[in-house]
């Protein structure tokens, strides 16, 4: 009783402080990044790409409750779309924005194509099969030398530019990624709160009962796979453009697992959680760079610790972006 | 509008759960389904709602075959149900449990909702007003923003019925709505269900609580070992020796029961007037 009372007594103040703090840190980071050395800007860019991937995968895992371990396939589709359409490989040099659109479409199509065979699967079975799909795509890329350059990958990708404005330096990509992450985040968040998002949640809670209230679960799930894959593919295209080199090595199972971990550690189903999860799993290894071999051990321990003390993630589902915004304005 | 079962049969492997059931349900009435455990009552509901497939025979509403449709299509044909074991969307709020039922009607506008917030807000508001109306009817308005899984048991039962009702179904199937409710809650439920009787609606209630069934229903069918044993008004059911024997459970086979009932009547010198 007294604990509960104490909590409610503290809440009004702390619910204001946390959002303000988060907001201040975010703004400070954004403002400071362009002035950091290139190395650090690249780290921030990598963070943003993972946040983008997390936002995409979260639609399937967090909103719809389907454990997809093959997400990296869509990331690869986007990266190779850019590599094939803007490089000496086939001497194609399409504009960056056009490629983004193509990558988005191809992502949606592969999302649906890989989604159809797994519609009936859930839980562990789904995880295993999607894991297989991810690997299949990587192995295909590895072996289709004439198309993808095989294990060597594709190098010398074009410099990206948007309407004549060149996007080449890490800072340029920082701004581009920031815009894309914000747009993707807002879209995902609005989707979550749309009628489709509620259907996703219903499927997550009880698929059969969802059908019982008239939800065409096939369509709703395919919509989730498609939007999720679209975001993954866009992330891939930007990744390709920023590296100006792609090879199968970037699209291993490890990447898929890392993104899933980000979501689980950060807070499944919550975009704020994904940001937190990405910050920990992407930035911490950088901070711990000096302790090379100890890094994995330390991360493992941290993960176990977090899962014990915060089983619902660092930022649980109940503390969504709307709460943060409301907190900011003190409502 | 009539819901018709024609020579309906359901087998689970060796087990025959429903055996040649033919009957019809008229609108404007509340139809009770009673019978001992394992009689096949839930199976009837599950087949009608499309949760289970039909082994043979047919289910038609207004002459339209239902048993060939997918479950969500059946729901969208105006058939709504509750489950014997409550199945809510536990981690969604009470009002969201109702809102999600607007999916079939509103999903086409999803992208407009995403890119045009005023549209989303307006639509959401309209949706939530309708939901609040139903919640008020079931005295759940104070729980609108609570997670459904956290509701007390009796409230969960009510919410499940509310969810079935939100899209104004033509057929409402309730599988043991009073199970686990206390006396007070059952009385409340009876009153609410009575108020839901409508000339445009077929209501079918599976229930063990005989008080509720006898008070509420206009017509009752009695199931026993997958067969339709008896159909009649509450008074007729209460008077039926067949039914009494079925509930006493002395004989397993329906023909044995009939024979036994015949014998008993003969012993007592009762002249039988057979229905169906
Ligand atoms: N999913 C199922 N698989 C196998 N047998 C089942 C299944 N559901 C019900 N049954 C069997 O069918 C018969 C009728 O069950 P049910 O319709 O649940 O009865 P009631 O609701 O009248 O208690 C029982 O013998 C039961 O064991
Ligand atoms: Mg039952």
């Amino acid at each position: 009783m007294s604990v509960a009372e104490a909590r409610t007594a503290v809440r009004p103040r702390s619910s204001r402080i946390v959002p303000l703090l988060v907001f201040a840190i975010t703004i400070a980071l954004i403002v400071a990044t362009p002035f950091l050395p290139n190395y650090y800007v690249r780290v921030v860019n990598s963070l943003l790409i993972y946040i983008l991937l997390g936002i995409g995968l979260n639609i399937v895992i967090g909103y719809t409750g389907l454990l997809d371990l093959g997400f990296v396939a869509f990331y690869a589709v986007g990266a190779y779309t850019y590599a094939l359409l803007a490089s000496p490989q086939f001497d194609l040099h399409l504009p960056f924005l056009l490629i983004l659109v193509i990558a988005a479409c191809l992502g949606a199509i592969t999302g649906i194509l890989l989604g159809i065979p797994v519609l009936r699967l859930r839980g562990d079975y789904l995880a295993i099969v999607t894991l297989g799909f991810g690997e299949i795509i990587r192995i295909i890329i590895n072996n289709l030398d004439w198309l993808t350059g095989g294990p060597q990958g594709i190098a010398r990708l074009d410099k990206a530019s948007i309407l004549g404005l060149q996007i080449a330096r890490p800072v340029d990509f920082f701004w581009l990624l920031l815009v894309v992450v914000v747009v993707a985040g807002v879209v995902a968040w609005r989707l979550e709160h749309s009628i489709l998002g509620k259907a996703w949640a219903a499927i997550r809670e009880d698929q059969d009962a969802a059908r019982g209230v008239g939800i065409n679960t096939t369509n709703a799930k395919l919509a989730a796979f498609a939007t999720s894959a679209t975001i993954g593919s866009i992330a891939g295209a930007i990744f390709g453009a920023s590296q100006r080199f792609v090879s199968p090595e970037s699209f291993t199972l490890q990447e898929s697992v890392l993104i899933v971990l980000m979501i689980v550690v950060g807070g499944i189903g919550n975009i704020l959680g994904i940001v937190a999860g990405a910050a920990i799993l992407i930035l911490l290894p950088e901070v711990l760079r000096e302790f090379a071999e100890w890094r994995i051990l330390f991360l493992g321990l941290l993960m176990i610790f977090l899962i014990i003390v915060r089983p619902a993630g660092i930022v649980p589902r109940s503390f969504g972006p709307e709460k943060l915004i409301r907190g900011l304005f003190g409502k | 509008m009539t819901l018709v079962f024609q020579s309906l049969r359901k087998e689970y492997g060796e087990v025959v759960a429903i055996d040649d059931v033919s009957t019809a349900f008229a609108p404007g009435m509340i139809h009770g389904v009673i019978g001992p455990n394992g009689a096949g009552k839930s199976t009837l509901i599950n087949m009608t709602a499309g949760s289970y497939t039909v082994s043979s025979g047919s289910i038609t509403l207004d002459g339209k075959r239902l048993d060939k449709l997918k479950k969500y299509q059946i729901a969208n044909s105006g058939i709504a149900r509750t489950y014997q074991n409550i199945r809510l969307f536990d981690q969604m709020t009470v009002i969201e449990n109702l809102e999600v039922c607007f999916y079939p009607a509103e999903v086409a506008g999803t992208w407009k909702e995403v890119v045009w917030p005023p549209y989303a807000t307006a639509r959401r508001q309209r949706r939530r007003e309708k939901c609040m109306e139903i919640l008020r009817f079931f005295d759940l308005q104070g729980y609108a923003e609570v997670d459904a899984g956290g509701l007390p048991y009796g409230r969960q039962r009510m919410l499940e019925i509310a969810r079935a009702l939100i899209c104004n179904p033509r057929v409402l199937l309730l599988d043991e709505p009073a199970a686990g409710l206390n006396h007070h809650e059952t009385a409340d439920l009876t009153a609410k269900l009575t108020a839901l009787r409508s000339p445009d609606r077929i209501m079918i209630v599976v229930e063990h609580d005989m008080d509720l069934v006898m008070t509420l229903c206009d017509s009752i069918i009695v199931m026993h070992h997958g067969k339709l044993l008896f159909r009649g008004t509450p008074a007729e059911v209460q008077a039926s020796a067949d039914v009494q024997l079925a509930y006493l459970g002395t004989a397993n086979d329906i023909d044995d029961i009939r024979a036994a009932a015949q014998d008993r009547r003969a012993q007592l010198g009762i002249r039988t007037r057979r229905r169906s």
Side-chain angles (χ1 to χ4, degrees), chain A residues 190 194-195 198-199 202 205-206 208-209 211-212 214-216, chain B residues 71-72 75-76 87 90-92 99-100 103-104 113-114 117 120:
Chain A
R190 294 198 55 82
S194 73
I195 191 76
K198 293 195 200 305
E205 295 298 308
D206 186 336
D208 198 51
R211 292 195 182 109
I215 295 168
N216 181 342
Chain B
K71 185 172 180 180
Y72 80 89
N76 290 336
R87 292 176 73 168
D90 284 346
Q91 291 199 44
M92 295 167 73
E99 282 188 80
V100 72
Y103 174 88
E113 266 192 52
V114 170

PDB file of all heavy atoms in Angstrom, chain A residues 190 194-195 198-199 202 205-206 208-209 211-212 214-216, chain B residues 71-72 75-76 87 90-92 99-100 103-104 113-114 117 120:
ATOM      1  N   ARG A 190       1.915   6.052 -36.480  1.00  0.00           N
ATOM      2  CA  ARG A 190       0.533   6.316 -36.895  1.00  0.00           C
ATOM      3  C   ARG A 190      -0.138   5.035 -37.390  1.00  0.00           C
ATOM      4  O   ARG A 190      -1.340   4.849 -37.206  1.00  0.00           O
ATOM      5  CB  ARG A 190       0.485   7.402 -37.974  1.00  0.00           C
ATOM      6  CG  ARG A 190       0.948   8.769 -37.456  1.00  0.00           C
ATOM      7  CD  ARG A 190       0.501   9.898 -38.368  1.00  0.00           C
ATOM      8  NE  ARG A 190      -0.932   9.893 -38.585  1.00  0.00           N
ATOM      9  CZ  ARG A 190      -1.824  10.414 -37.744  1.00  0.00           C
ATOM     10  NH1 ARG A 190      -1.435  11.004 -36.643  1.00  0.00           N
ATOM     11  NH2 ARG A 190      -3.105  10.364 -38.028  1.00  0.00           N
ATOM     12  N   SER A 194      -3.571   3.225 -36.156  1.00  0.00           N
ATOM     13  CA  SER A 194      -4.650   3.176 -37.148  1.00  0.00           C
ATOM     14  C   SER A 194      -5.482   1.923 -36.902  1.00  0.00           C
ATOM     15  O   SER A 194      -5.150   1.097 -36.055  1.00  0.00           O
ATOM     16  CB  SER A 194      -4.058   3.122 -38.553  1.00  0.00           C
ATOM     17  OG  SER A 194      -3.513   1.843 -38.793  1.00  0.00           O
ATOM     18  N   ILE A 195      -6.529   1.789 -37.669  1.00  0.00           N
ATOM     19  CA  ILE A 195      -7.381   0.603 -37.508  1.00  0.00           C
ATOM     20  C   ILE A 195      -6.605  -0.657 -37.894  1.00  0.00           C
ATOM     21  O   ILE A 195      -6.779  -1.716 -37.295  1.00  0.00           O
ATOM     22  CB  ILE A 195      -8.690   0.765 -38.322  1.00  0.00           C
ATOM     23  CG1 ILE A 195      -9.694  -0.321 -37.943  1.00  0.00           C
ATOM     24  CG2 ILE A 195      -8.453   0.739 -39.810  1.00  0.00           C
ATOM     25  CD1 ILE A 195     -10.373  -0.099 -36.617  1.00  0.00           C
ATOM     26  N   LYS A 198      -4.576  -1.719 -34.935  1.00  0.00           N
ATOM     27  CA  LYS A 198      -5.372  -2.415 -33.917  1.00  0.00           C
ATOM     28  C   LYS A 198      -5.613  -3.868 -34.335  1.00  0.00           C
ATOM     29  O   LYS A 198      -5.619  -4.770 -33.503  1.00  0.00           O
ATOM     30  CB  LYS A 198      -6.687  -1.683 -33.695  1.00  0.00           C
ATOM     31  CG  LYS A 198      -6.474  -0.310 -33.066  1.00  0.00           C
ATOM     32  CD  LYS A 198      -7.765   0.258 -32.519  1.00  0.00           C
ATOM     33  CE  LYS A 198      -7.695   1.761 -32.344  1.00  0.00           C
ATOM     34  NZ  LYS A 198      -6.593   2.224 -31.518  1.00  0.00           N
ATOM     35  N   ALA A 199      -5.791  -4.065 -35.639  1.00  0.00           N
ATOM     36  CA  ALA A 199      -5.969  -5.446 -36.117  1.00  0.00           C
ATOM     37  C   ALA A 199      -4.681  -6.239 -35.900  1.00  0.00           C
ATOM     38  O   ALA A 199      -4.718  -7.407 -35.500  1.00  0.00           O
ATOM     39  CB  ALA A 199      -6.355  -5.452 -37.588  1.00  0.00           C
ATOM     40  N   ALA A 202      -4.617  -7.251 -32.397  1.00  0.00           N
ATOM     41  CA  ALA A 202      -5.574  -8.335 -32.148  1.00  0.00           C
ATOM     42  C   ALA A 202      -4.995  -9.669 -32.611  1.00  0.00           C
ATOM     43  O   ALA A 202      -5.129 -10.689 -31.930  1.00  0.00           O
ATOM     44  CB  ALA A 202      -6.897  -8.049 -32.855  1.00  0.00           C
ATOM     45  N   GLU A 205      -2.585 -10.807 -30.081  1.00  0.00           N
ATOM     46  CA  GLU A 205      -3.191 -11.288 -28.847  1.00  0.00           C
ATOM     47  C   GLU A 205      -3.875 -12.639 -29.027  1.00  0.00           C
ATOM     48  O   GLU A 205      -3.784 -13.500 -28.170  1.00  0.00           O
ATOM     49  CB  GLU A 205      -4.214 -10.266 -28.335  1.00  0.00           C
ATOM     50  CG  GLU A 205      -3.617  -8.941 -27.910  1.00  0.00           C
ATOM     51  CD  GLU A 205      -2.658  -9.104 -26.751  1.00  0.00           C
ATOM     52  OE1 GLU A 205      -3.060  -9.721 -25.758  1.00  0.00           O
ATOM     53  OE2 GLU A 205      -1.511  -8.650 -26.857  1.00  0.00           O
ATOM     54  N   ASP A 206      -4.614 -12.801 -30.102  1.00  0.00           N
ATOM     55  CA  ASP A 206      -5.365 -14.039 -30.314  1.00  0.00           C
ATOM     56  C   ASP A 206      -5.834 -14.071 -31.761  1.00  0.00           C
ATOM     57  O   ASP A 206      -6.862 -13.500 -32.115  1.00  0.00           O
ATOM     58  CB  ASP A 206      -6.568 -14.094 -29.352  1.00  0.00           C
ATOM     59  CG  ASP A 206      -7.294 -15.425 -29.423  1.00  0.00           C
ATOM     60  OD1 ASP A 206      -7.202 -16.112 -30.465  1.00  0.00           O
ATOM     61  OD2 ASP A 206      -7.962 -15.780 -28.436  1.00  0.00           O
ATOM     62  N   ASP A 208      -7.107 -16.318 -33.674  1.00  0.00           N
ATOM     63  CA  ASP A 208      -8.379 -16.931 -34.018  1.00  0.00           C
ATOM     64  C   ASP A 208      -9.543 -16.015 -33.630  1.00  0.00           C
ATOM     65  O   ASP A 208     -10.506 -15.862 -34.380  1.00  0.00           O
ATOM     66  CB  ASP A 208      -8.488 -18.291 -33.330  1.00  0.00           C
ATOM     67  CG  ASP A 208      -9.558 -19.135 -33.987  1.00  0.00           C
ATOM     68  OD1 ASP A 208      -9.520 -19.265 -35.222  1.00  0.00           O
ATOM     69  OD2 ASP A 208     -10.428 -19.649 -33.263  1.00  0.00           O
ATOM     70  N   ALA A 209      -9.427 -15.399 -32.467  1.00  0.00           N
ATOM     71  CA  ALA A 209     -10.475 -14.460 -32.059  1.00  0.00           C
ATOM     72  C   ALA A 209     -10.489 -13.251 -32.991  1.00  0.00           C
ATOM     73  O   ALA A 209     -11.542 -12.670 -33.256  1.00  0.00           O
ATOM     74  CB  ALA A 209     -10.251 -14.015 -30.614  1.00  0.00           C
ATOM     75  N   ARG A 211      -9.903 -13.332 -36.197  1.00  0.00           N
ATOM     76  CA  ARG A 211     -10.719 -13.753 -37.345  1.00  0.00           C
ATOM     77  C   ARG A 211     -12.187 -13.698 -36.972  1.00  0.00           C
ATOM     78  O   ARG A 211     -13.028 -13.339 -37.788  1.00  0.00           O
ATOM     79  CB  ARG A 211     -10.363 -15.186 -37.748  1.00  0.00           C
ATOM     80  CG  ARG A 211      -8.975 -15.302 -38.325  1.00  0.00           C
ATOM     81  CD  ARG A 211      -8.812 -16.643 -39.035  1.00  0.00           C
ATOM     82  NE  ARG A 211      -7.463 -16.761 -39.531  1.00  0.00           N
ATOM     83  CZ  ARG A 211      -6.546 -17.587 -39.026  1.00  0.00           C
ATOM     84  NH1 ARG A 211      -6.860 -18.402 -38.031  1.00  0.00           N
ATOM     85  NH2 ARG A 211      -5.341 -17.617 -39.526  1.00  0.00           N
ATOM     86  N   GLY A 212     -12.470 -14.050 -35.726  1.00  0.00           N
ATOM     87  CA  GLY A 212     -13.845 -14.085 -35.260  1.00  0.00           C
ATOM     88  C   GLY A 212     -14.520 -12.720 -35.252  1.00  0.00           C
ATOM     89  O   GLY A 212     -15.747 -12.638 -35.262  1.00  0.00           O
ATOM     90  N   GLY A 214     -13.952 -10.613 -37.672  1.00  0.00           N
ATOM     91  CA  GLY A 214     -14.035 -10.207 -39.074  1.00  0.00           C
ATOM     92  C   GLY A 214     -12.733  -9.721 -39.689  1.00  0.00           C
ATOM     93  O   GLY A 214     -12.741  -9.137 -40.770  1.00  0.00           O
ATOM     94  N   ILE A 215     -11.618  -9.958 -38.994  1.00  0.00           N
ATOM     95  CA  ILE A 215     -10.346  -9.494 -39.553  1.00  0.00           C
ATOM     96  C   ILE A 215      -9.789 -10.526 -40.517  1.00  0.00           C
ATOM     97  O   ILE A 215      -9.627 -11.694 -40.157  1.00  0.00           O
ATOM     98  CB  ILE A 215      -9.331  -9.220 -38.420  1.00  0.00           C
ATOM     99  CG1 ILE A 215      -9.823  -8.054 -37.568  1.00  0.00           C
ATOM    100  CG2 ILE A 215      -7.950  -8.915 -38.994  1.00  0.00           C
ATOM    101  CD1 ILE A 215      -9.067  -7.865 -36.280  1.00  0.00           C
ATOM    102  N   ASN A 216      -9.525 -10.100 -41.739  1.00  0.00           N
ATOM    103  CA  ASN A 216      -8.876 -10.958 -42.716  1.00  0.00           C
ATOM    104  C   ASN A 216      -7.396 -10.999 -42.330  1.00  0.00           C
ATOM    105  O   ASN A 216      -6.610 -10.140 -42.709  1.00  0.00           O
ATOM    106  CB  ASN A 216      -9.076 -10.380 -44.115  1.00  0.00           C
ATOM    107  CG  ASN A 216      -8.433 -11.239 -45.173  1.00  0.00           C
ATOM    108  OD1 ASN A 216      -7.582 -12.070 -44.889  1.00  0.00           O
ATOM    109  ND2 ASN A 216      -8.854 -11.028 -46.413  1.00  0.00           N
TER     110      ASN A 216
ATOM    111  N   LYS B  71     -13.565 -18.110 -41.727  1.00  0.00           N
ATOM    112  CA  LYS B  71     -14.089 -17.616 -40.469  1.00  0.00           C
ATOM    113  C   LYS B  71     -14.345 -16.100 -40.499  1.00  0.00           C
ATOM    114  O   LYS B  71     -15.384 -15.633 -40.045  1.00  0.00           O
ATOM    115  CB  LYS B  71     -13.124 -17.959 -39.336  1.00  0.00           C
ATOM    116  CG  LYS B  71     -13.693 -17.572 -37.978  1.00  0.00           C
ATOM    117  CD  LYS B  71     -12.854 -18.074 -36.842  1.00  0.00           C
ATOM    118  CE  LYS B  71     -13.508 -17.649 -35.528  1.00  0.00           C
ATOM    119  NZ  LYS B  71     -12.784 -18.088 -34.353  1.00  0.00           N
ATOM    120  N   TYR B  72     -13.381 -15.345 -41.049  1.00  0.00           N
ATOM    121  CA  TYR B  72     -13.582 -13.894 -41.029  1.00  0.00           C
ATOM    122  C   TYR B  72     -14.728 -13.481 -41.950  1.00  0.00           C
ATOM    123  O   TYR B  72     -15.432 -12.507 -41.678  1.00  0.00           O
ATOM    124  CB  TYR B  72     -12.278 -13.164 -41.394  1.00  0.00           C
ATOM    125  CG  TYR B  72     -11.962 -13.083 -42.865  1.00  0.00           C
ATOM    126  CD1 TYR B  72     -12.427 -12.029 -43.643  1.00  0.00           C
ATOM    127  CD2 TYR B  72     -11.206 -14.067 -43.487  1.00  0.00           C
ATOM    128  CE1 TYR B  72     -12.139 -11.961 -44.995  1.00  0.00           C
ATOM    129  CE2 TYR B  72     -10.906 -14.012 -44.829  1.00  0.00           C
ATOM    130  CZ  TYR B  72     -11.379 -12.959 -45.591  1.00  0.00           C
ATOM    131  OH  TYR B  72     -11.104 -12.892 -46.920  1.00  0.00           O
ATOM    132  N   ALA B  75     -17.882 -13.997 -40.022  1.00  0.00           N
ATOM    133  CA  ALA B  75     -18.063 -12.870 -39.103  1.00  0.00           C
ATOM    134  C   ALA B  75     -18.609 -11.661 -39.851  1.00  0.00           C
ATOM    135  O   ALA B  75     -19.503 -10.966 -39.380  1.00  0.00           O
ATOM    136  CB  ALA B  75     -16.738 -12.533 -38.424  1.00  0.00           C
ATOM    137  N   ASN B  76     -18.067 -11.440 -41.041  1.00  0.00           N
ATOM    138  CA  ASN B  76     -18.509 -10.281 -41.815  1.00  0.00           C
ATOM    139  C   ASN B  76     -19.883 -10.474 -42.442  1.00  0.00           C
ATOM    140  O   ASN B  76     -20.462  -9.521 -42.956  1.00  0.00           O
ATOM    141  CB  ASN B  76     -17.475  -9.938 -42.894  1.00  0.00           C
ATOM    142  CG  ASN B  76     -16.204  -9.380 -42.276  1.00  0.00           C
ATOM    143  OD1 ASN B  76     -16.237  -8.849 -41.164  1.00  0.00           O
ATOM    144  ND2 ASN B  76     -15.085  -9.517 -42.963  1.00  0.00           N
ATOM    145  N   ARG B  87     -12.152 -15.250 -24.576  1.00  0.00           N
ATOM    146  CA  ARG B  87     -11.014 -14.925 -25.438  1.00  0.00           C
ATOM    147  C   ARG B  87     -11.068 -13.466 -25.832  1.00  0.00           C
ATOM    148  O   ARG B  87     -11.611 -13.126 -26.875  1.00  0.00           O
ATOM    149  CB  ARG B  87     -11.026 -15.819 -26.673  1.00  0.00           C
ATOM    150  CG  ARG B  87     -10.740 -17.253 -26.325  1.00  0.00           C
ATOM    151  CD  ARG B  87     -10.835 -18.147 -27.510  1.00  0.00           C
ATOM    152  NE  ARG B  87      -9.728 -17.978 -28.420  1.00  0.00           N
ATOM    153  CZ  ARG B  87      -9.487 -18.824 -29.413  1.00  0.00           C
ATOM    154  NH1 ARG B  87     -10.276 -19.855 -29.629  1.00  0.00           N
ATOM    155  NH2 ARG B  87      -8.470 -18.638 -30.216  1.00  0.00           N
ATOM    156  N   ASP B  90      -6.255  -9.482 -24.593  1.00  0.00           N
ATOM    157  CA  ASP B  90      -5.926  -9.106 -23.220  1.00  0.00           C
ATOM    158  C   ASP B  90      -5.105  -7.835 -23.074  1.00  0.00           C
ATOM    159  O   ASP B  90      -5.320  -7.060 -22.165  1.00  0.00           O
ATOM    160  CB  ASP B  90      -5.177 -10.253 -22.528  1.00  0.00           C
ATOM    161  CG  ASP B  90      -6.117 -11.381 -22.140  1.00  0.00           C
ATOM    162  OD1 ASP B  90      -7.343 -11.143 -22.159  1.00  0.00           O
ATOM    163  OD2 ASP B  90      -5.636 -12.478 -21.824  1.00  0.00           O
ATOM    164  N   GLN B  91      -4.116  -7.656 -23.961  1.00  0.00           N
ATOM    165  CA  GLN B  91      -3.237  -6.498 -23.790  1.00  0.00           C
ATOM    166  C   GLN B  91      -3.709  -5.277 -24.557  1.00  0.00           C
ATOM    167  O   GLN B  91      -2.963  -4.324 -24.742  1.00  0.00           O
ATOM    168  CB  GLN B  91      -1.811  -6.855 -24.185  1.00  0.00           C
ATOM    169  CG  GLN B  91      -1.196  -7.832 -23.200  1.00  0.00           C
ATOM    170  CD  GLN B  91       0.305  -7.849 -23.304  1.00  0.00           C
ATOM    171  OE1 GLN B  91       0.941  -6.806 -23.387  1.00  0.00           O
ATOM    172  NE2 GLN B  91       0.877  -9.034 -23.315  1.00  0.00           N
ATOM    173  N   MET B  92      -4.938  -5.336 -25.027  1.00  0.00           N
ATOM    174  CA  MET B  92      -5.523  -4.129 -25.612  1.00  0.00           C
ATOM    175  C   MET B  92      -6.527  -3.583 -24.604  1.00  0.00           C
ATOM    176  O   MET B  92      -7.060  -4.336 -23.780  1.00  0.00           O
ATOM    177  CB  MET B  92      -6.222  -4.468 -26.927  1.00  0.00           C
ATOM    178  CG  MET B  92      -5.251  -4.948 -27.998  1.00  0.00           C
ATOM    179  SD  MET B  92      -6.048  -5.691 -29.425  1.00  0.00           S
ATOM    180  CE  MET B  92      -6.729  -4.253 -30.229  1.00  0.00           C
ATOM    181  N   GLU B  99     -13.115  -1.355 -30.713  1.00  0.00           N
ATOM    182  CA  GLU B  99     -12.735  -0.580 -31.900  1.00  0.00           C
ATOM    183  C   GLU B  99     -12.236  -1.460 -33.033  1.00  0.00           C
ATOM    184  O   GLU B  99     -12.513  -1.219 -34.199  1.00  0.00           O
ATOM    185  CB  GLU B  99     -11.625   0.423 -31.541  1.00  0.00           C
ATOM    186  CG  GLU B  99     -12.089   1.662 -30.817  1.00  0.00           C
ATOM    187  CD  GLU B  99     -10.937   2.657 -30.687  1.00  0.00           C
ATOM    188  OE1 GLU B  99     -10.646   3.364 -31.660  1.00  0.00           O
ATOM    189  OE2 GLU B  99     -10.327   2.682 -29.609  1.00  0.00           O
ATOM    190  N   VAL B 100     -11.481  -2.492 -32.650  1.00  0.00           N
ATOM    191  CA  VAL B 100     -10.852  -3.325 -33.671  1.00  0.00           C
ATOM    192  C   VAL B 100     -11.909  -4.023 -34.544  1.00  0.00           C
ATOM    193  O   VAL B 100     -11.640  -4.385 -35.683  1.00  0.00           O
ATOM    194  CB  VAL B 100      -9.890  -4.339 -33.020  1.00  0.00           C
ATOM    195  CG1 VAL B 100     -10.646  -5.415 -32.283  1.00  0.00           C
ATOM    196  CG2 VAL B 100      -8.974  -4.940 -34.043  1.00  0.00           C
ATOM    197  N   TYR B 103     -12.574  -2.920 -38.118  1.00  0.00           N
ATOM    198  CA  TYR B 103     -11.556  -3.165 -39.146  1.00  0.00           C
ATOM    199  C   TYR B 103     -12.146  -3.443 -40.523  1.00  0.00           C
ATOM    200  O   TYR B 103     -11.759  -2.795 -41.492  1.00  0.00           O
ATOM    201  CB  TYR B 103     -10.644  -4.314 -38.689  1.00  0.00           C
ATOM    202  CG  TYR B 103      -9.644  -4.766 -39.718  1.00  0.00           C
ATOM    203  CD1 TYR B 103      -8.398  -4.166 -39.832  1.00  0.00           C
ATOM    204  CD2 TYR B 103      -9.946  -5.798 -40.607  1.00  0.00           C
ATOM    205  CE1 TYR B 103      -7.478  -4.581 -40.773  1.00  0.00           C
ATOM    206  CE2 TYR B 103      -9.032  -6.224 -41.559  1.00  0.00           C
ATOM    207  CZ  TYR B 103      -7.803  -5.610 -41.640  1.00  0.00           C
ATOM    208  OH  TYR B 103      -6.901  -6.028 -42.590  1.00  0.00           O
ATOM    209  N   PRO B 104     -13.078  -4.395 -40.659  1.00  0.00           N
ATOM    210  CA  PRO B 104     -13.554  -4.705 -42.013  1.00  0.00           C
ATOM    211  C   PRO B 104     -14.133  -3.475 -42.717  1.00  0.00           C
ATOM    212  O   PRO B 104     -13.920  -3.285 -43.906  1.00  0.00           O
ATOM    213  CB  PRO B 104     -14.644  -5.758 -41.778  1.00  0.00           C
ATOM    214  CG  PRO B 104     -14.328  -6.352 -40.458  1.00  0.00           C
ATOM    215  CD  PRO B 104     -13.732  -5.246 -39.642  1.00  0.00           C
ATOM    216  N   GLU B 113      -5.618   7.564 -43.015  1.00  0.00           N
ATOM    217  CA  GLU B 113      -5.452   7.811 -41.574  1.00  0.00           C
ATOM    218  C   GLU B 113      -4.005   8.163 -41.245  1.00  0.00           C
ATOM    219  O   GLU B 113      -3.742   9.017 -40.412  1.00  0.00           O
ATOM    220  CB  GLU B 113      -5.815   6.545 -40.775  1.00  0.00           C
ATOM    221  CG  GLU B 113      -7.228   6.483 -40.286  1.00  0.00           C
ATOM    222  CD  GLU B 113      -7.422   5.354 -39.272  1.00  0.00           C
ATOM    223  OE1 GLU B 113      -6.660   5.274 -38.295  1.00  0.00           O
ATOM    224  OE2 GLU B 113      -8.336   4.541 -39.480  1.00  0.00           O
ATOM    225  N   VAL B 114      -3.080   7.482 -41.918  1.00  0.00           N
ATOM    226  CA  VAL B 114      -1.667   7.693 -41.600  1.00  0.00           C
ATOM    227  C   VAL B 114      -1.201   9.074 -42.052  1.00  0.00           C
ATOM    228  O   VAL B 114      -0.526   9.783 -41.311  1.00  0.00           O
ATOM    229  CB  VAL B 114      -0.792   6.590 -42.243  1.00  0.00           C
ATOM    230  CG1 VAL B 114       0.682   6.932 -42.133  1.00  0.00           C
ATOM    231  CG2 VAL B 114      -1.077   5.250 -41.586  1.00  0.00           C
ATOM    232  N   PRO B 117      -3.865  13.297 -40.415  1.00  0.00           N
ATOM    233  CA  PRO B 117      -4.306  13.154 -39.028  1.00  0.00           C
ATOM    234  C   PRO B 117      -5.743  13.609 -38.737  1.00  0.00           C
ATOM    235  O   PRO B 117      -6.442  12.931 -37.983  1.00  0.00           O
ATOM    236  CB  PRO B 117      -3.277  13.989 -38.253  1.00  0.00           C
ATOM    237  CG  PRO B 117      -2.059  13.951 -39.110  1.00  0.00           C
ATOM    238  CD  PRO B 117      -2.542  13.929 -40.520  1.00  0.00           C
ATOM    239  N   ALA B 120      -8.013  10.842 -39.417  1.00  0.00           N
ATOM    240  CA  ALA B 120      -7.862   9.766 -38.432  1.00  0.00           C
ATOM    241  C   ALA B 120      -8.586  10.120 -37.141  1.00  0.00           C
ATOM    242  O   ALA B 120      -9.298   9.301 -36.560  1.00  0.00           O
ATOM    243  CB  ALA B 120      -6.379   9.508 -38.173  1.00  0.00           C
TER     244      ALA B 120
END
